[in-house]
Structure formats: structure tokens, C-alpha cells
Amino acid sequence: MTNTESASVSPQSSHNSHASPAAAAAGASHKAGDQPFFDPVAYGNGPDDSVTDITETAAITHHSTTIGGQKINYTATAGHLVIVDPSSSQPEAKMFYVAFTQDNQKEETRPVTFFYNGGPGSSSVFVLLGSFAPRRIKTSMPGFTPPAPYSMEDNPDSLLDKSDLIFINPVGTGYSAAIAPKKNRDFWGVDQDADSIKQFIKRFLTKNNRWNSPKYLFGESYGTARSCVLAYRLHEDGVDLNGITLQSSILDYTQAGNPVGALPTTAADAWYHKKLGIAPRPTDLGTFAEEVAQFARTDYLAALRKFPTTDSATVEKLSEYTGIDKTTLLAWSLDIASYDSRGNSLFLTTLLKAQGLALGEYDGRVTAINTGIAGKIDPNSGGNDPTMTAVTGVYTTMWNVYLNEQLKYTSNSAFTDLNDQAFQFWDFGHIDPTGAQKGLDAKGNIILYTAGDLAAVMALNPDLKVLSANGFFDYVTPFYQTVLDLQQMPLVSQQVRQNLSARFYPSGHMVYLDGGSRTALKADLARMYDATVSNIQALGRIRALQARVARPD
């Protein structure tokens, strides 16, 4: 059975803990079988914080929803699993998660998908409340979502009809924390983070008898880099995956801010806001984006290399595609991805400058009054970005409502949705298995490159399917840069490359916040899941690989 167990035990003992009197009293209004839980542990999110409690506790509730005309009964589990140091077997972190598992299913045929956001330093609340869980928030995207009262709704695009869904909060986010003598900062790094998520997944598989289930990862933003590293490390431990979804990818940090990769996104923004210098305006965004990508990798790339020598026809075409006048483009040295001395994106703060507006970096459809800060975002939390401003209120409020009132998990600790400290202390040092490391930055730090990890695990597991999902209006992780990164990753086998597919949606960084894009992405996910679980020979090969070395923790 796939229902996660009601548990309040440590990995080493069967000691039971109990809900608080307040939670027990509240239980009178709950469904029969629901188990509310009040967590008295204080979870700190600072670099040197830790906890001493090693119990695995959870609130368990029962629900139903309808997806595609089918009623689905499911169990929600919100709580902690304890991961251990694989060398000493000593507890090293309590990791908070929320699981949605369909009732009365067989583990051999029921897929399980592990979700997380990025940052680094982000909890999974954004993907949980916005994407494919059984319930989701209602927003006014691409407009500003007005203040409370907010609402949630059953999610007709939920992936629960295809897979059980596990949303993981890395150490230092949510209610996840290191266990003393470990500290949160011990998990803040590319390799350290991937190892902790790996240990969580293995613990979940053991606790819930899911070792033989088809397994998938879904990562967003930095979560895509995490997925590449994690997938390879899971393979090394005998856990071979059936599929990976990379949403809004950043796989090669040396290419962050590459104007060639960013140009099609700026053109998409200009297209949306009707600022193109092209008449008539193209009707199909996808076809137009490919036209601009062709220009970006040919004439535009050549123009950047030759500057300050310029070709008037190329500058004219660049102006037509971006909606920025030629004089301004020349002042920017034709670099459409450049920033001013204050860190403001020149393009995002210029396109609608005459209207006093700046575009959102996370979603160029979103605008806000340009007060001089709207175009500058914090790389982790997105502070001041119009996109995040438009949805932060509804996310914060409805997460508290959903967790406390519907999932029935309560705590005196503050839930850490975004932890800037994790980003500041993050160790980006990592060398992928292929050795395709891209060099050092000005401070001597390794520049993160994880497409090599993806190439390695795809080569080792030729049945692994990978779906790259990208928003046309995402300036943080531009869709065409992802195309370039995947084209250039060190994967030699063209046959294995056929397992990789890319899809593009008229949305931003958080693809699922656009209703039509969310529905389209769900359909693409459903096709991938159906293809992987129906391929009996591939399933057999993956399970044979796992059986060689898999050992319960």
C-alpha cells in the first residue's frame, strides 16, 4: 500500500510522541482517521542552528478530489523524516515534507515523484501550492493578486492521477534542520545538499515500502541543477530513476547572463507587450521565438563579437525584435542582457519606461511601477521583482491556512519559505562525473556546471526519460539558454539523446502559474509517465540495476 504511515518514531527506536492537548481537542471536527499534530520543536534557519530531537512525526489527513472525471481518495502526510550519516548511521537532519498518496494502490505499479524548488534556499511551498498537488492557490497572474481574503481550489491539473507526490524542504528551509552536532550550514552546498536529498529519498522508500515503485524527480530553477547531481548520486547508490522533469533550468552558470541565450526571451516580452518593430505582429509565439533564436546564434552572435564595429542591418533587426531603439542598443554595446551600475536589468527597466513600468524578471508579462528597484532582484528570494510581488501575499497566507487547517500540522516555529542565508553561505564547488568543469570565477570559486551530471546519468541509465519545461517569458533562466546548454552537454549517444524532450509554454519561470501552461505541462507530464510505466522492458532493466546494490537504510 502507498499510504505513508502515521509515525512519531526515531529511526532507531519505537518511542511514541503525542499531539498537544490543543491539537487533540481540535481533532473532534476532523474526519475519522485524521491525526492532527502539534510540533513543539523549535526549528532555526541560521547557519549554525540545529535541533536535538530525532523523532519522525507527522500529521495525517484524508481527502478526495476529482481529476479527469475520476474520483481519487488520497492521504496527505505532513511531517519529518530523519536522515542519517551513511558512514556512522547517526542522525544528522530532520527534513520536513508533505506527501500526497493515492489510497489502495500497489507499490509495484504506482509511481512516486519527489518535488523541490530551487534558490538555493527555497522551500517547496511554491511548487506545492502552485503546480500539481491536489489543491492549489488562485492567483490573478499575470496581474497583481489583491490582498486577502484569498482562496484555494481543487486542482484539475494535479499529477496525483499519475503518481504519488512528495514535496521536500531542504535543510534550513521549511521546518527542516540539522541535528546536533551537525549545523544547517553543513548541508549548504551543491554536493552536501544533493547527498541529504538522496538520503531523504532512500529513507522515504524504506519507511513506505516504495523501493520497487517507478521513481521521478521534479525540480525547478536551482532545483534542476540539484536534480542533475542528485540523479547521478542516486544511481551510484542503486536507485535508478524512470524520469526527471527540469522546469526552468540553470545547468551551466558560466552562461548566466549570456545575451545570445537571453535574446529570444526579450523578444517574447516585446511581443507580449506589443512593442515589436515588426508589422504585422507575428501570430504564433513559438514560431517567432525560433526565428529570433536563429538570428541570435548567427547574426547577433557575430555582431557581439565584432562590436564596436557594427552592421546596420543587424542592429536594425535587433531593434525590431526587442522594441529597443538603435541608439540605446548601441549604448548597451548591443548586450541585451546587460545591467546598470545599480544591478538593474537595462532591458526590463527600459521597454516600458515611457509608461513608468518595469517588467518582471521571473515573468516578463508582469509589470510594476518602476520606482528604481523593481528591475533589481535578489538572486535567491526575488525581492522587489514584480512577479514575486504579485504572488507573495497569496502564497504566504494560503500556505499557513492550508498547512494548519487542512493538513492539520501546526508549530510554534516560523516556516522558512525562503532562506537568504543559505544562498549566502552556499558552497557551489562541484565537479561533474564527466570532468567537464568550466573553470573558476574572479574569486577563485568553481563555477557550477551540472549538465555533465545529467549526461552521465542518462548514459548510464539509457531508459531514463528527461523532460525540459520552459517558459517563454522567463528572464531568470531563459528558455533558449537551456536549449543551448542541453545541446552542448557531453552526451555522445544520439540514441540516448532521444530520451530528452523540451517543451515551451507562454508563461514565466513558474510555468504553472499560467493556467493554460499548467494544463499543457500536465499533459506533457502524463505522456512521459505513461510512456515510462508502460515500457515493461525498461522497467525491468531499471529494477535489475537497483536490485544489484539497493539496501534498505
Side-chain angles (χ1 to χ4, degrees):
M1 306 296 289
T2 65
N3 292 353
T4 50
E5 301 173 11
S6 168
S8 54
V9 299
S10 73
Q12 293 79 26
S13 73
S14 59
H15 170 70
N16 289 327
S17 62
H18 303 278
S20 70
S29 62
H30 302 320
K31 286 185 179 180
D34 283 357
Q35 300 177 40
F37 181 74
F38 169 76
D39 190 347
V41 178
Y43 299 99
N45 60 21
D48 295 321
D49 285 334
S50 62
V51 298
T52 57
D53 181 78
I54 61 170
T55 56
E56 291 183 330
T57 53
I60 298 176
T61 52
H62 303 280
H63 312 263
S64 64
T65 190
T66 300
I67 304 171
Q70 174 190 3
K71 181 179 179 181
I72 295 177
N73 296 318
Y74 66 94
T75 298
T77 304
H80 287 88
L81 291 182
V82 172
I83 64 170
V84 300
D85 182 306
S87 298
S88 67
S89 294
Q90 293 300 307
E92 62 177 8
K94 287 190 68 169
M95 297 185 66
F96 183 76
Y97 73 104
V98 178
F100 301 99
T101 54
Q102 184 176 353
D103 296 342
N104 302 316
Q105 299 293 303
K106 294 182 179 179
E107 66 173 74
E108 291 83 1
T109 56
R110 180 64 175 167
V112 58
T113 304
F114 298 94
F115 289 79
Y116 32 76
N117 277 95
S122 175
S123 69
S124 64
V125 65
F126 301 99
V127 69
L128 190 158
L129 287 184
S131 66
F132 301 109
R135 290 181 61 76
R136 66 176 308 276
I137 56 172
K138 296 179 70 173
T139 75
S140 301
M141 285 290 288
F144 179 84
T145 302
Y150 303 108
S151 61
M152 292 186 70
E153 61 185 354
D154 284 342
N155 187 0
D157 298 317
S158 175
L159 196 59
L160 190 60
D161 60 334
K162 298 295 181 182
S163 172
D164 292 336
L165 315 173
I166 319 301
F167 295 84
I168 305 171
N169 296 273
V171 175
T173 73
Y175 293 127
S176 296
I179 295 174
K182 292 282 189 177
K183 300 177 181 179
N184 286 343
R185 70 165 76 225
D186 294 330
F187 301 89
W188 290 351
V190 176
D191 294 340
Q192 303 92 313
D193 168 79
D195 283 339
S196 68
I197 302 294
K198 177 189 72 174
Q199 291 301 112
F200 173 91
I201 289 174
K202 292 171 66 178
R203 175 61 187 150
F204 182 91
L205 299 178
T206 296
K207 184 177 179 63
N208 296 285
N209 301 317
R210 301 303 297 270
W211 276 93
N212 213 23
S213 297
K215 304 169 191 68
Y216 301 79
L217 303 179
F218 187 113
E220 174 181 290
S221 196
Y222 175 81
T224 61
R226 173 185 286 135
S227 288
C228 296
V229 179
L230 174 60
Y232 182 83
R233 291 182 176 229
L234 282 168
H235 168 81
E236 290 289 280
D237 276 17
V239 183
D240 279 291
L241 300 167
N242 300 76
I244 301 173
T245 300
L246 305 173
Q247 183 191 290
S248 306
S249 295
I250 180 163
L251 307 179
D252 183 354
Y253 276 61
T254 67
Q255 297 304 306
N258 175 18
V260 173
L263 179 59
T265 296
T266 63
D269 288 349
W271 176 90
Y272 179 83
H273 293 286
K274 300 181 180 180
K275 292 295 182 179
L276 295 176
I278 301 172
R281 176 174 175 263
T283 56
D284 183 78
L285 177 57
T287 301
F288 173 61
E290 177 50 41
E291 175 187 321
V292 179
Q294 169 67 22
F295 171 76
R297 62 181 174 260
T298 54
D299 293 350
Y300 180 53
L301 176 59
L304 288 169
R305 289 172 173 172
K306 293 177 182 178
F307 192 86
T309 301
T310 60
D311 173 69
S312 59
T314 300
V315 177
E316 177 70 29
K317 180 63 71 174
L318 183 62
S319 178
E320 291 175 353
Y321 281 152
T322 61
I324 304 298
D325 66 85
K326 291 180 287 185
T327 301
T328 299
L329 289 171
L330 290 170
W332 296 352
S333 302
L334 304 184
D335 184 352
I336 200 68
S338 56
Y339 288 76
D340 66 18
S341 59
R342 297 178 57 205
N344 295 306
S345 164
L346 292 174
F347 173 78
L348 297 178
T349 54
T350 299
L351 184 66
L352 300 182
K353 186 176 182 179
Q355 300 166 240
L357 299 174
L359 310 187
E361 191 157 358
Y362 284 91
D363 190 330
R365 300 174 302 162
V366 183
T367 62
I369 297 172
N370 184 7
T371 61
I373 60 173
K376 180 181 180 180
I377 66 166
D378 181 280
N380 178 36
S381 65
N384 297 325
D385 181 73
T387 313
M388 299 305 293
T389 300
V391 295
T392 296
V394 61
Y395 260 112
T396 300
T397 297
M398 295 315 296
W399 172 240
N400 283 282
V401 170
Y402 188 49
L403 181 63
N404 298 339
E405 299 179 14
Q406 297 183 34
L407 301 182
K408 299 179 173 52
Y409 179 99
T410 55
S411 170
N412 283 337
S413 297
F415 185 89
T416 303
D417 53 359
L418 289 165
N419 190 345
D420 290 340
Q421 296 177 92
F423 185 88
Q424 293 164 5
F425 283 90
W426 202 260
D427 174 11
F428 283 93
H430 170 74
I431 298 178
D432 75 75
T434 70
Q437 185 246 346
K438 292 297 189 78
L440 307 177
D441 63 17
K443 297 181 180 179
N445 300 313
I446 292 175
I447 302 175
L448 184 59
Y449 178 75
T450 61
D453 297 78
L454 179 63
V457 75
M458 290 183 70
L460 292 167
N461 177 1
D463 295 305
L464 174 64
K465 303 295 184 183
V466 179
L467 172 63
S468 173
N470 313 269
F472 283 119
F473 306 110
D474 176 10
Y475 196 81
V476 175
T477 56
F479 71 91
Y480 184 55
Q481 185 58 56
T482 297
V483 171
L484 295 174
D485 292 344
L486 293 173
Q487 287 176 346
Q488 295 165 11
M489 72 177 179
L491 181 60
V492 176
S493 171
Q494 292 304 309
Q495 181 177 354
V496 172
R497 276 190 176 270
Q498 294 178 12
N499 291 334
L500 171 64
S501 59
R503 297 290 184 269
F504 309 95
Y505 309 90
S507 189
H509 191 71
M510 302 160 80
V511 173
Y512 42 78
L513 289 185
D514 177 82
S517 297
R518 183 177 62 253
T519 300
L521 177 52
K522 164 61 189 295
D524 290 332
L525 288 167
R527 280 189 286 271
M528 181 179 76
Y529 280 67
D530 289 344
T532 52
V533 298
S534 64
N535 189 335
I536 304 302
Q537 291 182 337
L539 280 175
R541 287 191 293 269
I542 290 173
R543 285 170 175 160
L545 283 170
Q546 293 175 170
R548 294 176 190 171
V549 293
R551 295 289 186 273
D553 285 351

